[in-house]
Amino acid sequence: MQPVNLARLQIHFCVLLWGFTAILGKLISLPALPLVWWRMLLVSGALLLVPRVWRGLRAMPARLRWAYAGIGVLVSLHWLTFYAAIKLSNASVGATCIALGPVFLSFIEPWIARRKFDPRELFIAVAVVPGVAMVVGGVPHGMRMGIAVGALSALFVALFGAFNKRLVDHGDPLTVTCLELGTGTLFLTLLAPLLPHAGSAFEVPGLHDTLLLLALSFGCTLLPFALALVALRHLTAFGVQMVTNLEPVYSIVLAILLLGEQRELHAWFYLGVTVIIAAVFVHPLLHRRRDEPSQQPELLGTAESHNVVE
């Protein structure tokens, strides 16, 4: 098989694994806070066993370490709100809300990355509005809080994605991922006492949840991270972006097949999803660039897929 074709298969497999994150988040019985805390702890702990990570940490200037640590706080808030949205609604709703990330990014990135705002990006935001309205109308009233929390999660995706883009060339990907997730773990540890039910924030999961957490941490985070780093050597940034846009589609299809969530949602929800995902696909078409395929690999470690590369 040609290297490029193999790389395409690897990226699709990575996105499929990312699609399972919403499913696993629904299946794990832990609340959102301990779920995210254990996931970040397991991944960052595993990365600390890699000598390359320690070399990268020693070589990184203190100011840059603080910058990545701040991004790690945003990452933890993204995952916390993402899984909270799933717990408040279901996996399909959570995955759909994350598709709003590129919409927020179209406004946030020019400010953070210090580039000129492109009026074409306003089209994306406007096109998504009716899709969001249909999604809201297509879910039961009891799930609508999940949509609000999911939209907040998409905002955090846009924020840390833009900041990571600004610092993309300043750190080793594995080191950056370990630093961000390690900082996120510490932040959630300090945040827990301020939240309701703090006593059970870091409860030790049972066997069932432990196995699912291991699958989430290593099968849906570290494994696709490693595979994507290899695949990015042979693909254009545009091609990768188009594939990663499929993550909400994979998540929704998996939720239907594995969780039977189509019984909980109305036709308006799926029509709205179609509108939102269509807008997400238009986004890279409007901004097609011939970047090197190695752009922004560190985002793979801290977000499931969205805006991995621009």
Side-chain angles (χ1 to χ4, degrees):
M1 183 178 294
Q2 294 293 323
V4 172
N5 293 332
L6 179 60
R8 289 196 184 103
L9 288 176
Q10 288 173 329
I11 285 294
H12 274 284
F13 182 59
C14 290
V15 176
L16 178 62
L17 291 176
W18 285 321
F20 272 102
T21 59
I23 308 301
L24 291 172
K26 189 66 176 179
L27 292 174
I28 295 172
S29 63
L30 293 174
L33 179 60
L35 189 161
V36 175
W37 187 81
W38 279 107
R39 181 187 185 186
M40 299 186 94
L41 179 67
L42 288 169
V43 175
S44 56
L47 288 173
L48 285 174
L49 300 176
V50 181
R52 168 181 164 183
V53 170
W54 289 100
R55 290 194 297 269
L57 286 172
R58 286 193 294 268
M60 188 179 292
R63 184 176 179 181
L64 191 58
R65 287 199 296 267
W66 281 108
Y68 282 123
I71 296 173
V73 171
L74 293 174
V75 173
S76 67
L77 290 172
H78 155 58
W79 276 355
L80 183 61
T81 49
F82 174 63
Y83 288 109
I86 291 172
K87 300 294 183 181
L88 290 168
S89 53
N90 60 26
S92 297
V93 172
T96 300
C97 291
I98 294 303
L100 296 173
V103 179
F104 288 119
L105 193 65
S106 66
F107 293 98
I108 291 172
E109 186 186 351
W111 167 55
I112 293 177
R114 297 175 181 174
R115 68 168 175 83
K116 186 177 179 181
F117 175 75
D118 190 337
R120 292 175 298 178
E121 295 180 338
L122 183 61
F123 167 77
I124 304 297
V126 173
V128 164
V129 170
V132 173
M134 285 184 278
V135 164
V136 172
V139 303
H141 286 277
M143 291 187 180
R144 291 184 180 176
M145 179 58 71
I147 294 177
V149 176
L152 181 61
S153 182
L155 176 61
F156 285 128
V157 163
L159 283 169
F160 82 71
F163 279 116
N164 260 335
K165 181 179 178 66
R166 183 170 173 177
L167 300 175
V168 65
D169 296 321
H170 295 81
D172 170 71
L174 288 177
T175 302
V176 169
T177 300
C178 181
L179 181 56
E180 290 184 356
L181 298 191
T183 303
T185 305
L186 177 60
F187 172 74
L188 292 181
T189 303
L190 298 175
L191 179 66
L194 305 177
L195 298 177
H197 312 295
S200 61
F202 309 118
E203 61 183 270
V204 178
L207 178 60
H208 177 264
D209 282 342
T210 297
L211 294 175
L212 294 179
L213 278 169
L214 290 173
L216 178 64
S217 301
F218 300 115
C220 298
T221 304
L222 280 182
L223 175 60
F225 175 83
L227 283 176
L229 286 180
V230 175
L232 285 169
R233 299 172 184 168
H234 305 286
L235 298 173
T236 64
F238 175 80
V240 173
Q241 179 68 67
M242 294 301 289
V243 176
T244 55
N245 283 344
L246 287 170
E247 186 200 335
V249 179
Y250 286 151
S251 293
I252 292 170
V253 171
L254 289 170
I256 291 173
L257 295 176
L258 301 178
L259 304 177
E261 289 189 355
Q262 75 278 5
R263 296 189 294 270
E264 303 174 340
L265 303 168
H266 306 301
W268 279 107
F269 171 83
Y270 294 103
L271 184 58
V273 168
T274 302
V275 173
I276 292 172
I277 292 176
V280 169
F281 271 90
V282 168
H283 182 262
L285 288 172
L286 291 177
H287 301 277
R288 184 170 185 174
R289 302 171 188 166
R290 295 296 185 180
D291 294 334
E292 291 298 319
S294 59
Q295 292 286 325
Q296 273 185 286
E298 67 267 35
L299 294 189
L300 294 170
T302 53
E304 264 61 73
S305 70
H306 294 284
N307 297 289
V308 170
V309 282
E310 289 276 343

